Amino acid sequence: MAKAQASFTCTACGASFPKWSGRCDACGAWNSIIEEAPLSSGPKSLGAKGRTVPLTDLSASEPPPPRAASGISELDRVLGGGLVPASAILVGGDPGIGKSTLLLQAAASFARQGLSCLYISGEEASAQVRMRAQRLGLAEAPVRLGAETNLRDILTTLDAERPRLAIIDSIQTMWLDSVEAAPGSVSQVRAAAHELVTFAKKRGVAVILVGHVTKDGQIAGPRVVEHMVDTVLYFEGERGHQFRILRAVKNRFGPADEIGVFEMTGSGLSEVQNPSALFLSSRDTPAPGAAVFAGIEGTRPVLTEIQALVAPSTLGTPRRTVVGLDSGRLSTILAVLEARVGIPFAGLDVFLNVAGGLRVNEPAADLAVAAALLSAREDIAIPPDMVLFGEISLSGALRPGSQTENRLKEAAKLGFTQAALPRGSRSGAASGMRLREMADLTAFTGEMFGAG
Ligand code: TYD
Ligand code: MG
């Protein structure tokens, strides 16, 4: 018996349901479930005979796919060493963050390396893209340009041109005449992405899909596309900051969690080869409330400054404002400080911020967060030549983590001379840093701020 066709989909997380409800059971979003036309795929009855699928051994020796490097090393790093032929890549990000700029620069770069490259814009007219290219100094790059939203026409064109790379900007503007829904709806986005990914695999054309993400989920998020593609990159950053981070959240052909760092300038995005220096560059005199976290982003150590401000609150429920870190993590650390070390933050507003607009997801940032909070609260500055890292467990113990050596080496390279880290971290003696290993948060508080 055929299963009932689910025809309601959450625009926030992509989960599907057999009936509508006001709140998505999967992700908890409100008003995000919409009806969609059922997919008309699959054999009508399984009695019909299919063809046999050709099978191979695991040992079948195929040379690793040759990768094409763009020459933009921050981009190549995030792709895992270059573009894999016939792969499908999604580049997501807030509108206006710089996706089109990045991909136009990438297209020009790939084209200059001899990779035939097609850029299809569904958002801008060709003249607008050309104007942008001129401003970026890319006008003479051999990129073929098209402005179209009808996917059938685009696929026909791709089939005729057979480029090695096709960039579709953006997937939300594409529409298939066989799907009865507005462009940007979940059904259209999913169907269009499916067609393009299938085309990529069949014809050996790498495709890059641009997808806008909005916080309120008004436009069908690229979430529904994520599982179809090989690689998912997110382009993030704070609008007010010039720094942009390209982050691999999924990559079938390379390490996930790798980041590339760019700076938005008047003439497009420029690469930032040494992000630590950049994220710390605004440091001047040591101030209470700042702690330098020696983190790892992908395969690379990155130093960032964690900043905290603690002030008496006038509100019944004190403020907890976090930028660049998980707010749940802040609550946990505040609770551990109160319950295990005896330092309460009740009645105090807490503001926490990662300098430079980077987003830090590593649990090893805990110690630097706690240090910044304590430093702000006690009004005692942390030595300016110190880096910190270590995960805090609910008992208040500091848990040794990974890549101690790499973190310390990067810190030493940037002129730091001492590090606070969990006891039992595999020694980083080679770095020449003064190591202050501590077993728990109480020991840390006692040593750094002279109180428990
Ligand atoms: P864009 O690539 O159009 O964003 P997206 O495709 O993600 O929507 O980038 C638009 C922003 O980038 C716009 O606010 C202006 C800024 N920008 C620069 O600062 N310098 C430049 O050289 C370019 C092309 C854009
Ligand atoms: Mg754009």
Side-chain angles (χ1 to χ4, degrees):
M1 191 57 217
K3 245 175 60 191
Q5 183 83 51
S7 56
F8 292 87
T9 303
C10 171
T11 51
C13 71
S16 43
F17 304 95
K19 63 181 204 307
W20 190 87
S21 68
R23 181 170 182 269
C24 173
D25 281 342
C27 68
W30 286 96
N31 259 336
S32 63
I33 295 182
I34 57 152
E35 183 168 11
E36 75 175 313
L39 282 179
S40 60
S41 64
K44 291 279 177 301
S45 88
L46 282 176
K49 208 160 161 37
R51 64 183 179 88
T52 20
V53 178
L55 305 171
T56 61
D57 295 330
L58 283 179
S59 64
S61 67
E62 265 176 57
R67 290 170 184 267
S70 65
I72 302 177
S73 61
E74 292 296 300
L75 173 66
D76 292 337
R77 175 210 313 282
V78 176
L79 288 172
L83 185 74
V84 174
S87 62
I89 297 160
L90 171 71
V91 177
D94 294 342
I97 203 74
K99 300 181 294 299
S100 302
T101 308
L102 174 73
L103 290 173
L104 193 59
Q105 287 183 259
S109 234
F110 275 120
R112 282 180 180 146
Q113 310 282 328
L115 198 85
S116 52
C117 198
L118 231 152
Y119 185 101
I120 306 280
S121 177
E123 298 188 340
E124 291 161 288
S126 297
Q128 284 175 303
V129 181
R130 272 200 301 273
M131 239 162 63
R132 184 193 297 239
Q134 239 149 37
R135 204 149 71 74
L136 299 174
L138 309 171
E140 84 311 342
V143 178
R144 310 278 289 146
L145 194 62
E148 183 52 69
T149 56
N150 183 335
L151 199 65
R152 190 184 296 274
D153 296 347
I154 291 172
L155 289 174
T156 308
T157 312
L158 288 180
D159 213 17
E161 294 271 327
R162 288 293 172 88
R164 296 270 304 284
L165 169 64
I167 295 171
I168 308 293
D169 186 4
S170 66
I171 190 69
Q172 273 104 358
T173 55
M174 298 296 142
W175 62 280
L176 267 171
D177 42 21
S178 56
V179 176
E180 275 183 44
S185 63
V186 175
S187 347
Q188 280 289 6
V189 167
R190 193 188 338 234
H194 178 75
E195 290 294 330
L196 283 161
V197 172
T198 313
F199 179 87
K201 303 288 161 197
K202 245 195 222 143
R203 299 281 195 260
V205 175
V207 294
I208 300 182
L209 310 176
V210 174
H212 294 294
V213 196
T214 51
K215 303 238 155 54
D216 56 2
Q218 280 298 42
I219 316 174
R223 283 286 138 78
V224 295
V225 181
E226 277 185 0
H227 68 275
M228 288 185 218
V229 296
D230 301 307
T231 302
V232 178
L233 310 179
Y234 274 98
F235 204 40
E236 33 182 69
E238 299 293 324
R239 276 293 184 87
H241 285 286
Q242 70 269 43
F243 312 125
R244 299 284 181 272
I245 315 285
L246 186 65
R247 186 187 296 275
V249 295
K250 161 182 171 180
N251 195 351
R252 287 188 184 142
F253 307 115
D257 263 336
E258 193 67 86
I259 65 165
V261 184
F262 297 88
E263 192 176 352
M264 183 62 98
T265 68
S267 53
L269 291 155
S270 62
E271 297 180 66
V272 175
Q273 306 275 5
N274 189 345
S276 299
L278 182 135
F279 290 127
L280 296 178
S281 64
S282 51
R283 275 167 71 79
D284 23 45
T285 45
V292 177
F293 166 51
I296 300 282
E297 292 289 345
T299 53
R300 174 166 64 167
V302 174
L303 266 53
T304 41
E305 185 176 280
I306 313 264
Q307 304 166 339
L309 176 66
V310 175
S313 181
T314 54
L315 304 171
T317 310
R319 246 185 256 272
R320 303 284 182 249
T321 305
V322 190
V323 178
L325 282 151
D326 180 30
S327 58
R329 210 55 214 158
L330 170 65
S331 308
T332 309
I333 294 169
L334 289 175
V336 173
L337 281 171
E338 173 144 13
R340 307 294 180 195
V341 194
I343 300 181
F345 283 80
L348 296 170
D349 284 336
V350 174
F351 303 88
L352 195 68
N353 183 26
V354 180
L358 186 72
R359 217 190 138 70
V360 174
N361 297 321
E362 251 196 305
D366 289 357
L367 185 59
V369 170
L373 291 169
L374 289 166
S375 164
R377 189 182 185 281
E378 306 296 317
D379 204 25
I380 299 173
I382 290 172
D385 60 347
M386 172 182 261
V387 296
L388 307 97
F389 56 90
E391 183 179 349
I392 298 172
S393 69
L394 291 183
S395 66
L398 295 182
R399 220 180 269 160
S402 62
Q403 308 213 41
T404 303
E405 198 74 49
N406 281 342
R407 296 175 203 267
L408 293 173
K409 260 197 217 142
E410 176 79 0
K413 206 166 80 189
L414 285 156
F416 289 85
T417 59
Q418 50 176 328
L421 68 170
R423 170 160 299 162
S425 300
R426 281 234 246 115
S427 155
S431 65
M433 303 261 289
R434 181 176 158 221
L435 303 182
R436 298 169 66 164
E437 297 191 73
M438 324 212 190
D440 56 32
L441 208 47
T442 311
F444 173 77
T445 311
E447 188 166 335
M448 299 291 296
F449 303 101

mmCIF file of all heavy atoms in Angstrom, residues 99-100 123-124 132 169 212, ligand 2:
data_model
loop_
_atom_site.group_PDB
_atom_site.id
_atom_site.type_symbol
_atom_site.label_atom_id
_atom_site.label_comp_id
_atom_site.label_asym_id
_atom_site.label_seq_id
_atom_site.Cartn_x
_atom_site.Cartn_y
_atom_site.Cartn_z
ATOM 1 N N LYS A 99 27.263 37.617 -1.524
ATOM 2 C CA LYS A 99 27.350 36.336 -2.243
ATOM 3 C C LYS A 99 27.604 36.558 -3.733
ATOM 4 O O LYS A 99 28.475 35.909 -4.319
ATOM 5 C CB LYS A 99 26.054 35.528 -2.063
ATOM 6 C CG LYS A 99 25.736 35.190 -0.626
ATOM 7 C CD LYS A 99 24.475 34.374 -0.500
ATOM 8 C CE LYS A 99 23.209 35.127 -0.911
ATOM 9 N NZ LYS A 99 22.937 36.325 -0.090
ATOM 10 N N SER A 100 26.853 37.476 -4.332
ATOM 11 C CA SER A 100 27.023 37.715 -5.769
ATOM 12 C C SER A 100 28.417 38.254 -6.053
ATOM 13 O O SER A 100 29.046 37.873 -7.039
ATOM 14 C CB SER A 100 25.976 38.711 -6.264
ATOM 15 O OG SER A 100 24.688 38.225 -6.006
ATOM 16 N N GLU A 123 18.590 37.670 -10.749
ATOM 17 C CA GLU A 123 18.228 38.830 -9.930
ATOM 18 C C GLU A 123 18.590 40.138 -10.585
ATOM 19 O O GLU A 123 17.938 41.149 -10.376
ATOM 20 C CB GLU A 123 18.932 38.738 -8.570
ATOM 21 C CG GLU A 123 18.502 37.518 -7.805
ATOM 22 C CD GLU A 123 19.017 37.483 -6.395
ATOM 23 O OE1 GLU A 123 20.003 38.183 -6.113
ATOM 24 O OE2 GLU A 123 18.435 36.743 -5.591
ATOM 25 N N GLU A 124 19.674 40.102 -11.364
ATOM 26 C CA GLU A 124 20.142 41.340 -11.965
ATOM 27 C C GLU A 124 20.158 41.185 -13.483
ATOM 28 O O GLU A 124 20.329 40.080 -13.990
ATOM 29 C CB GLU A 124 21.558 41.662 -11.478
ATOM 30 C CG GLU A 124 21.602 42.047 -10.020
ATOM 31 C CD GLU A 124 23.001 41.920 -9.447
ATOM 32 O OE1 GLU A 124 23.469 40.796 -9.263
ATOM 33 O OE2 GLU A 124 23.603 42.959 -9.172
ATOM 34 N N ARG A 132 28.998 45.750 -12.365
ATOM 35 C CA ARG A 132 29.650 45.294 -11.143
ATOM 36 C C ARG A 132 31.033 44.717 -11.486
ATOM 37 O O ARG A 132 32.017 44.989 -10.813
ATOM 38 C CB ARG A 132 28.797 44.223 -10.461
ATOM 39 C CG ARG A 132 29.351 43.766 -9.143
ATOM 40 C CD ARG A 132 28.655 42.510 -8.665
ATOM 41 N NE ARG A 132 27.230 42.724 -8.406
ATOM 42 C CZ ARG A 132 26.654 42.524 -7.228
ATOM 43 N NH1 ARG A 132 27.369 42.123 -6.216
ATOM 44 N NH2 ARG A 132 25.367 42.696 -7.074
ATOM 45 N N ASP A 169 22.523 32.293 -9.699
ATOM 46 C CA ASP A 169 22.335 33.326 -8.677
ATOM 47 C C ASP A 169 20.948 33.948 -8.858
ATOM 48 O O ASP A 169 20.745 34.754 -9.741
ATOM 49 C CB ASP A 169 23.445 34.375 -8.846
ATOM 50 C CG ASP A 169 23.430 35.422 -7.743
ATOM 51 O OD1 ASP A 169 22.623 35.297 -6.816
ATOM 52 O OD2 ASP A 169 24.234 36.363 -7.828
ATOM 53 N N HIS A 212 19.506 32.605 -0.690
ATOM 54 C CA HIS A 212 19.345 33.603 0.374
ATOM 55 C C HIS A 212 18.744 32.950 1.596
ATOM 56 O O HIS A 212 17.867 32.110 1.497
ATOM 57 C CB HIS A 212 18.402 34.726 -0.063
ATOM 58 C CG HIS A 212 18.933 35.548 -1.180
ATOM 59 N ND1 HIS A 212 20.035 36.351 -1.045
ATOM 60 C CD2 HIS A 212 18.527 35.670 -2.457
ATOM 61 C CE1 HIS A 212 20.268 36.941 -2.202
ATOM 62 N NE2 HIS A 212 19.371 36.536 -3.077
HETATM 63 MG MG MG B 2 23.059 38.776 -5.032
#
